PDB file of all heavy atoms in Angstrom:
ATOM      1  N   LEU A   1     135.611  78.134  96.589  1.00 90.00           N
ATOM      2  CA  LEU A   1     135.567  78.354  95.144  1.00 90.00           C
ATOM      3  C   LEU A   1     134.260  78.980  94.656  1.00 90.00           C
ATOM      4  O   LEU A   1     134.250  79.642  93.616  1.00 90.00           O
ATOM      5  CB  LEU A   1     135.766  77.028  94.404  1.00 90.00           C
ATOM      6  CG  LEU A   1     137.160  76.436  94.440  1.00 90.00           C
ATOM      7  CD1 LEU A   1     137.150  75.047  93.815  1.00 90.00           C
ATOM      8  CD2 LEU A   1     138.148  77.334  93.724  1.00 90.00           C
ATOM      9  N   PHE A   2     133.153  78.759  95.386  1.00 92.00           N
ATOM     10  CA  PHE A   2     131.863  79.158  94.831  1.00 92.00           C
ATOM     11  C   PHE A   2     130.990  80.084  95.685  1.00 92.00           C
ATOM     12  O   PHE A   2     130.090  80.703  95.161  1.00 92.00           O
ATOM     13  CB  PHE A   2     131.040  77.910  94.490  1.00 92.00           C
ATOM     14  CG  PHE A   2     131.636  77.115  93.371  1.00 92.00           C
ATOM     15  CD1 PHE A   2     132.262  75.915  93.626  1.00 92.00           C
ATOM     16  CD2 PHE A   2     131.599  77.571  92.067  1.00 92.00           C
ATOM     17  CE1 PHE A   2     132.824  75.160  92.599  1.00 92.00           C
ATOM     18  CE2 PHE A   2     132.152  76.836  91.034  1.00 92.00           C
ATOM     19  CZ  PHE A   2     132.769  75.626  91.294  1.00 92.00           C
ATOM     20  N   SER A   3     131.210  80.184  96.975  1.00 93.00           N
ATOM     21  CA  SER A   3     130.270  80.950  97.796  1.00 93.00           C
ATOM     22  C   SER A   3     130.268  82.438  97.482  1.00 93.00           C
ATOM     23  O   SER A   3     129.200  83.036  97.348  1.00 93.00           O
ATOM     24  CB  SER A   3     130.533  80.726  99.285  1.00 93.00           C
ATOM     25  OG  SER A   3     131.815  81.199  99.638  1.00 93.00           O
ATOM     26  N   CYS A   4     131.414  83.049  97.360  1.00 93.00           N
ATOM     27  CA  CYS A   4     131.487  84.510  97.225  1.00 93.00           C
ATOM     28  C   CYS A   4     132.243  84.988  95.994  1.00 93.00           C
ATOM     29  O   CYS A   4     132.643  86.149  95.918  1.00 93.00           O
ATOM     30  CB  CYS A   4     132.118  85.100  98.489  1.00 93.00           C
ATOM     31  SG  CYS A   4     131.156  84.786  99.980  1.00 93.00           S
ATOM     32  N   THR A   5     132.442  84.133  95.033  1.00 91.00           N
ATOM     33  CA  THR A   5     133.148  84.540  93.812  1.00 91.00           C
ATOM     34  C   THR A   5     132.526  83.854  92.594  1.00 91.00           C
ATOM     35  O   THR A   5     132.005  82.746  92.697  1.00 91.00           O
ATOM     36  CB  THR A   5     134.651  84.220  93.898  1.00 91.00           C
ATOM     37  OG1 THR A   5     135.280  84.644  92.691  1.00 91.00           O
ATOM     38  CG2 THR A   5     134.913  82.748  94.099  1.00 91.00           C
ATOM     39  N   SER A   6     132.610  84.526  91.463  1.00 89.00           N
ATOM     40  CA  SER A   6     132.050  83.966  90.226  1.00 89.00           C
ATOM     41  C   SER A   6     133.138  83.540  89.247  1.00 89.00           C
ATOM     42  O   SER A   6     132.844  83.242  88.088  1.00 89.00           O
ATOM     43  CB  SER A   6     131.141  85.001  89.556  1.00 89.00           C
ATOM     44  OG  SER A   6     131.902  86.148  89.210  1.00 89.00           O
ATOM     45  N   VAL A   7     134.369  83.483  89.690  1.00 85.00           N
ATOM     46  CA  VAL A   7     135.502  83.185  88.809  1.00 85.00           C
ATOM     47  C   VAL A   7     135.311  81.881  88.044  1.00 85.00           C
ATOM     48  O   VAL A   7     135.638  81.799  86.867  1.00 85.00           O
ATOM     49  CB  VAL A   7     136.822  83.166  89.617  1.00 85.00           C
ATOM     50  CG1 VAL A   7     137.974  82.670  88.774  1.00 85.00           C
ATOM     51  CG2 VAL A   7     137.118  84.546  90.162  1.00 85.00           C
ATOM     52  N   LEU A   8     134.758  80.850  88.695  1.00 85.00           N
ATOM     53  CA  LEU A   8     134.600  79.549  88.038  1.00 85.00           C
ATOM     54  C   LEU A   8     133.162  79.262  87.604  1.00 85.00           C
ATOM     55  O   LEU A   8     132.848  78.141  87.216  1.00 85.00           O
ATOM     56  CB  LEU A   8     135.088  78.438  88.973  1.00 85.00           C
ATOM     57  CG  LEU A   8     136.569  78.492  89.314  1.00 85.00           C
ATOM     58  CD1 LEU A   8     136.927  77.418  90.326  1.00 85.00           C
ATOM     59  CD2 LEU A   8     137.416  78.349  88.065  1.00 85.00           C
ATOM     60  N   ASP A   9     132.298  80.265  87.629  1.00 87.00           N
ATOM     61  CA  ASP A   9     130.898  80.035  87.253  1.00 87.00           C
ATOM     62  C   ASP A   9     130.732  79.562  85.816  1.00 87.00           C
ATOM     63  O   ASP A   9     129.783  78.861  85.502  1.00 87.00           O
ATOM     64  CB  ASP A   9     130.061  81.297  87.471  1.00 87.00           C
ATOM     65  CG  ASP A   9     129.639  81.471  88.917  1.00 87.00           C
ATOM     66  OD1 ASP A   9     130.177  80.748  89.792  1.00 87.00           O
ATOM     67  OD2 ASP A   9     128.773  82.318  89.177  1.00 87.00           O
ATOM     68  N   SER A  10     131.645  79.919  84.947  1.00 83.00           N
ATOM     69  CA  SER A  10     131.525  79.496  83.546  1.00 83.00           C
ATOM     70  C   SER A  10     131.488  77.980  83.426  1.00 83.00           C
ATOM     71  O   SER A  10     130.811  77.437  82.558  1.00 83.00           O
ATOM     72  CB  SER A  10     132.666  80.060  82.706  1.00 83.00           C
ATOM     73  OG  SER A  10     133.904  79.552  83.167  1.00 83.00           O
ATOM     74  N   MET A  11     132.182  77.256  84.318  1.00 82.00           N
ATOM     75  CA  MET A  11     132.180  75.795  84.232  1.00 82.00           C
ATOM     76  C   MET A  11     130.844  75.199  84.665  1.00 82.00           C
ATOM     77  O   MET A  11     130.567  74.047  84.398  1.00 82.00           O
ATOM     78  CB  MET A  11     133.329  75.194  85.025  1.00 82.00           C
ATOM     79  CG  MET A  11     133.165  75.173  86.502  1.00 82.00           C
ATOM     80  SD  MET A  11     134.623  74.408  87.248  1.00 82.00           S
ATOM     81  CE  MET A  11     133.895  73.665  88.671  1.00 82.00           C
ATOM     82  N   LEU A  12     129.994  75.989  85.318  1.00 84.00           N
ATOM     83  CA  LEU A  12     128.685  75.493  85.740  1.00 84.00           C
ATOM     84  C   LEU A  12     127.671  75.506  84.606  1.00 84.00           C
ATOM     85  O   LEU A  12     126.617  74.885  84.699  1.00 84.00           O
ATOM     86  CB  LEU A  12     128.155  76.338  86.905  1.00 84.00           C
ATOM     87  CG  LEU A  12     129.015  76.358  88.163  1.00 84.00           C
ATOM     88  CD1 LEU A  12     128.443  77.340  89.168  1.00 84.00           C
ATOM     89  CD2 LEU A  12     129.116  74.971  88.761  1.00 84.00           C
ATOM     90  N   PHE A  13     127.968  76.219  83.513  1.00 82.00           N
ATOM     91  CA  PHE A  13     127.007  76.367  82.413  1.00 82.00           C
ATOM     92  C   PHE A  13     127.573  75.972  81.053  1.00 82.00           C
ATOM     93  O   PHE A  13     126.853  75.945  80.075  1.00 82.00           O
ATOM     94  CB  PHE A  13     126.508  77.818  82.360  1.00 82.00           C
ATOM     95  CG  PHE A  13     125.804  78.215  83.612  1.00 82.00           C
ATOM     96  CD1 PHE A  13     126.475  78.895  84.612  1.00 82.00           C
ATOM     97  CD2 PHE A  13     124.482  77.875  83.825  1.00 82.00           C
ATOM     98  CE1 PHE A  13     125.837  79.240  85.795  1.00 82.00           C
ATOM     99  CE2 PHE A  13     123.833  78.213  84.993  1.00 82.00           C
ATOM    100  CZ  PHE A  13     124.514  78.898  85.976  1.00 82.00           C
ATOM    101  N   LYS A  14     128.837  75.643  80.995  1.00 80.00           N
ATOM    102  CA  LYS A  14     129.502  75.237  79.755  1.00 80.00           C
ATOM    103  C   LYS A  14     128.935  73.901  79.283  1.00 80.00           C
ATOM    104  O   LYS A  14     128.696  73.014  80.092  1.00 80.00           O
ATOM    105  CB  LYS A  14     130.991  75.117  80.079  1.00 80.00           C
ATOM    106  CG  LYS A  14     131.886  74.814  78.932  1.00 80.00           C
ATOM    107  CD  LYS A  14     133.332  74.795  79.450  1.00 80.00           C
ATOM    108  CE  LYS A  14     134.274  74.272  78.412  1.00 80.00           C
ATOM    109  NZ  LYS A  14     135.649  74.218  78.916  1.00 80.00           N
ATOM    110  N   PRO A  15     128.664  73.730  77.966  1.00 78.00           N
ATOM    111  CA  PRO A  15     128.155  72.444  77.471  1.00 78.00           C
ATOM    112  C   PRO A  15     129.199  71.331  77.607  1.00 78.00           C
ATOM    113  O   PRO A  15     130.364  71.525  77.283  1.00 78.00           O
ATOM    114  CB  PRO A  15     127.833  72.701  76.004  1.00 78.00           C
ATOM    115  CG  PRO A  15     128.267  74.080  75.702  1.00 78.00           C
ATOM    116  CD  PRO A  15     128.813  74.726  76.928  1.00 78.00           C
ATOM    117  N   PHE A  16     128.759  70.182  78.097  1.00 70.00           N
ATOM    118  CA  PHE A  16     129.639  69.029  78.283  1.00 70.00           C
ATOM    119  C   PHE A  16     128.971  67.772  77.765  1.00 70.00           C
ATOM    120  O   PHE A  16     127.773  67.748  77.511  1.00 70.00           O
ATOM    121  CB  PHE A  16     129.958  68.818  79.772  1.00 70.00           C
ATOM    122  CG  PHE A  16     130.858  69.858  80.347  1.00 70.00           C
ATOM    123  CD1 PHE A  16     130.354  70.826  81.188  1.00 70.00           C
ATOM    124  CD2 PHE A  16     132.202  69.891  80.046  1.00 70.00           C
ATOM    125  CE1 PHE A  16     131.171  71.796  81.724  1.00 70.00           C
ATOM    126  CE2 PHE A  16     133.032  70.850  80.575  1.00 70.00           C
ATOM    127  CZ  PHE A  16     132.516  71.810  81.416  1.00 70.00           C
ATOM    128  N   THR A  17     129.757  66.701  77.674  1.00 67.00           N
ATOM    129  CA  THR A  17     129.193  65.400  77.340  1.00 67.00           C
ATOM    130  C   THR A  17     128.258  64.965  78.472  1.00 67.00           C
ATOM    131  O   THR A  17     128.321  65.494  79.580  1.00 67.00           O
ATOM    132  CB  THR A  17     130.305  64.353  77.165  1.00 67.00           C
ATOM    133  OG1 THR A  17     131.002  64.229  78.394  1.00 67.00           O
ATOM    134  CG2 THR A  17     131.265  64.735  76.060  1.00 67.00           C
ATOM    135  N   LEU A  18     127.433  63.979  78.216  1.00 60.00           N
ATOM    136  CA  LEU A  18     126.410  63.565  79.178  1.00 60.00           C
ATOM    137  C   LEU A  18     126.990  63.180  80.534  1.00 60.00           C
ATOM    138  O   LEU A  18     126.516  63.624  81.569  1.00 60.00           O
ATOM    139  CB  LEU A  18     125.585  62.402  78.611  1.00 60.00           C
ATOM    140  CG  LEU A  18     124.457  61.910  79.509  1.00 60.00           C
ATOM    141  CD1 LEU A  18     123.487  63.041  79.809  1.00 60.00           C
ATOM    142  CD2 LEU A  18     123.743  60.747  78.885  1.00 60.00           C
ATOM    143  N   CYS A  19     128.038  62.357  80.570  1.00 58.00           N
ATOM    144  CA  CYS A  19     128.576  61.918  81.862  1.00 58.00           C
ATOM    145  C   CYS A  19     129.148  63.094  82.647  1.00 58.00           C
ATOM    146  O   CYS A  19     128.994  63.176  83.863  1.00 58.00           O
ATOM    147  CB  CYS A  19     129.604  60.817  81.697  1.00 58.00           C
ATOM    148  SG  CYS A  19     131.079  61.311  80.809  1.00 58.00           S
ATOM    149  N   ASP A  20     129.796  64.027  81.970  1.00 73.00           N
ATOM    150  CA  ASP A  20     130.337  65.191  82.661  1.00 73.00           C
ATOM    151  C   ASP A  20     129.235  66.166  83.060  1.00 73.00           C
ATOM    152  O   ASP A  20     129.375  66.911  84.015  1.00 73.00           O
ATOM    153  CB  ASP A  20     131.373  65.886  81.801  1.00 73.00           C
ATOM    154  CG  ASP A  20     132.575  65.009  81.539  1.00 73.00           C
ATOM    155  OD1 ASP A  20     132.799  64.043  82.294  1.00 73.00           O
ATOM    156  OD2 ASP A  20     133.290  65.285  80.573  1.00 73.00           O
ATOM    157  N   ARG A  21     128.138  66.143  82.313  1.00 79.00           N
ATOM    158  CA  ARG A  21     126.998  66.997  82.662  1.00 79.00           C
ATOM    159  C   ARG A  21     126.404  66.599  84.000  1.00 79.00           C
ATOM    160  O   ARG A  21     125.871  67.433  84.716  1.00 79.00           O
ATOM    161  CB  ARG A  21     125.933  66.915  81.572  1.00 79.00           C
ATOM    162  CG  ARG A  21     125.591  68.260  81.009  1.00 79.00           C
ATOM    163  CD  ARG A  21     124.511  68.190  79.997  1.00 79.00           C
ATOM    164  NE  ARG A  21     124.633  67.005  79.182  1.00 79.00           N
ATOM    165  CZ  ARG A  21     124.176  66.890  77.962  1.00 79.00           C
ATOM    166  NH1 ARG A  21     123.561  67.874  77.410  1.00 79.00           N
ATOM    167  NH2 ARG A  21     124.323  65.777  77.289  1.00 79.00           N
ATOM    168  N   ASN A  22     126.486  65.316  84.354  1.00 84.00           N
ATOM    169  CA  ASN A  22     126.002  64.877  85.665  1.00 84.00           C
ATOM    170  C   ASN A  22     126.775  65.573  86.778  1.00 84.00           C
ATOM    171  O   ASN A  22     126.188  66.089  87.726  1.00 84.00           O
ATOM    172  CB  ASN A  22     126.123  63.359  85.828  1.00 84.00           C
ATOM    173  CG  ASN A  22     125.164  62.619  84.941  1.00 84.00           C
ATOM    174  OD1 ASN A  22     124.137  63.148  84.543  1.00 84.00           O
ATOM    175  ND2 ASN A  22     125.501  61.389  84.621  1.00 84.00           N
ATOM    176  N   VAL A  23     128.090  65.594  86.672  1.00 85.00           N
ATOM    177  CA  VAL A  23     128.925  66.267  87.669  1.00 85.00           C
ATOM    178  C   VAL A  23     128.613  67.759  87.669  1.00 85.00           C
ATOM    179  O   VAL A  23     128.464  68.381  88.722  1.00 85.00           O
ATOM    180  CB  VAL A  23     130.421  66.005  87.403  1.00 85.00           C
ATOM    181  CG1 VAL A  23     131.295  66.872  88.295  1.00 85.00           C
ATOM    182  CG2 VAL A  23     130.741  64.540  87.598  1.00 85.00           C
ATOM    183  N   GLN A  24     128.506  68.329  86.491  1.00 86.00           N
ATOM    184  CA  GLN A  24     128.216  69.759  86.369  1.00 86.00           C
ATOM    185  C   GLN A  24     126.877  70.111  87.012  1.00 86.00           C
ATOM    186  O   GLN A  24     126.779  71.078  87.772  1.00 86.00           O
ATOM    187  CB  GLN A  24     128.196  70.151  84.896  1.00 86.00           C
ATOM    188  CG  GLN A  24     127.928  71.619  84.659  1.00 86.00           C
ATOM    189  CD  GLN A  24     127.733  71.920  83.187  1.00 86.00           C
ATOM    190  OE1 GLN A  24     127.031  71.176  82.497  1.00 86.00           O
ATOM    191  NE2 GLN A  24     128.345  72.984  82.722  1.00 86.00           N
ATOM    192  N   SER A  25     125.840  69.328  86.756  1.00 89.00           N
ATOM    193  CA  SER A  25     124.526  69.644  87.325  1.00 89.00           C
ATOM    194  C   SER A  25     124.497  69.437  88.837  1.00 89.00           C
ATOM    195  O   SER A  25     123.830  70.193  89.548  1.00 89.00           O
ATOM    196  CB  SER A  25     123.420  68.848  86.636  1.00 89.00           C
ATOM    197  OG  SER A  25     123.546  67.484  86.912  1.00 89.00           O
ATOM    198  N   ILE A  26     125.215  68.445  89.341  1.00 91.00           N
ATOM    199  CA  ILE A  26     125.294  68.258  90.794  1.00 91.00           C
ATOM    200  C   ILE A  26     125.982  69.468  91.423  1.00 91.00           C
ATOM    201  O   ILE A  26     125.508  70.015  92.419  1.00 91.00           O
ATOM    202  CB  ILE A  26     126.035  66.956  91.149  1.00 91.00           C
ATOM    203  CG1 ILE A  26     125.205  65.741  90.736  1.00 91.00           C
ATOM    204  CG2 ILE A  26     126.339  66.906  92.643  1.00 91.00           C
ATOM    205  CD1 ILE A  26     125.979  64.433  90.763  1.00 91.00           C
ATOM    206  N   LEU A  27     127.090  69.879  90.836  1.00 91.00           N
ATOM    207  CA  LEU A  27     127.795  71.055  91.342  1.00 91.00           C
ATOM    208  C   LEU A  27     126.881  72.282  91.354  1.00 91.00           C
ATOM    209  O   LEU A  27     126.763  72.977  92.359  1.00 91.00           O
ATOM    210  CB  LEU A  27     129.008  71.365  90.468  1.00 91.00           C
ATOM    211  CG  LEU A  27     130.333  70.782  90.861  1.00 91.00           C
ATOM    212  CD1 LEU A  27     131.379  71.052  89.784  1.00 91.00           C
ATOM    213  CD2 LEU A  27     130.795  71.321  92.188  1.00 91.00           C
ATOM    214  N   ARG A  28     126.247  72.546  90.228  1.00 93.00           N
ATOM    215  CA  ARG A  28     125.425  73.748  90.077  1.00 93.00           C
ATOM    216  C   ARG A  28     124.150  73.679  90.913  1.00 93.00           C
ATOM    217  O   ARG A  28     123.860  74.579  91.698  1.00 93.00           O
ATOM    218  CB  ARG A  28     125.080  73.949  88.596  1.00 93.00           C
ATOM    219  CG  ARG A  28     124.270  75.205  88.324  1.00 93.00           C
ATOM    220  CD  ARG A  28     123.814  75.277  86.880  1.00 93.00           C
ATOM    221  NE  ARG A  28     123.042  74.098  86.531  1.00 93.00           N
ATOM    222  CZ  ARG A  28     123.340  73.284  85.520  1.00 93.00           C
ATOM    223  NH1 ARG A  28     124.364  73.506  84.747  1.00 93.00           N
ATOM    224  NH2 ARG A  28     122.597  72.221  85.277  1.00 93.00           N
ATOM    225  N   ASP A  29     123.380  72.587  90.749  1.00 94.00           N
ATOM    226  CA  ASP A  29     122.028  72.527  91.312  1.00 94.00           C
ATOM    227  C   ASP A  29     121.973  72.037  92.754  1.00 94.00           C
ATOM    228  O   ASP A  29     121.069  72.427  93.490  1.00 94.00           O
ATOM    229  CB  ASP A  29     121.145  71.631  90.444  1.00 94.00           C
ATOM    230  CG  ASP A  29     121.081  72.120  89.003  1.00 94.00           C
ATOM    231  OD1 ASP A  29     121.245  73.337  88.779  1.00 94.00           O
ATOM    232  OD2 ASP A  29     120.876  71.287  88.104  1.00 94.00           O
ATOM    233  N   GLU A  30     122.927  71.192  93.165  1.00 95.00           N
ATOM    234  CA  GLU A  30     122.860  70.633  94.512  1.00 95.00           C
ATOM    235  C   GLU A  30     123.851  71.267  95.488  1.00 95.00           C
ATOM    236  O   GLU A  30     123.705  71.112  96.691  1.00 95.00           O
ATOM    237  CB  GLU A  30     123.099  69.119  94.468  1.00 95.00           C
ATOM    238  CG  GLU A  30     122.023  68.358  93.732  1.00 95.00           C
ATOM    239  CD  GLU A  30     122.223  66.860  93.795  1.00 95.00           C
ATOM    240  OE1 GLU A  30     122.716  66.358  94.830  1.00 95.00           O
ATOM    241  OE2 GLU A  30     121.897  66.177  92.800  1.00 95.00           O
TER     242      GLU A  30
END
């Protein structure tokens, strides 16, 4: 889903509630 395509990159930067932001930041940053 993420190595060679940007199709789902919008979900890595979309504003979310705090608990969902944890999942989002782990996905993006880790």
Side-chain angles (χ1 to χ4, degrees):
L1 288 173
F2 293 107
S3 63
C4 298
T5 180
S6 62
V7 172
L8 296 176
D9 279 12
S10 63
M11 76 179 211
L12 300 174
F13 299 96
K14 185 178 170 182
F16 289 106
T17 62
L18 182 59
C19 64
D20 296 340
R21 236 183 322 206
N22 291 336
V23 171
Q24 181 188 44
S25 67
I26 292 167
L27 267 173
R28 182 187 57 236
D29 302 333
E30 295 185 34

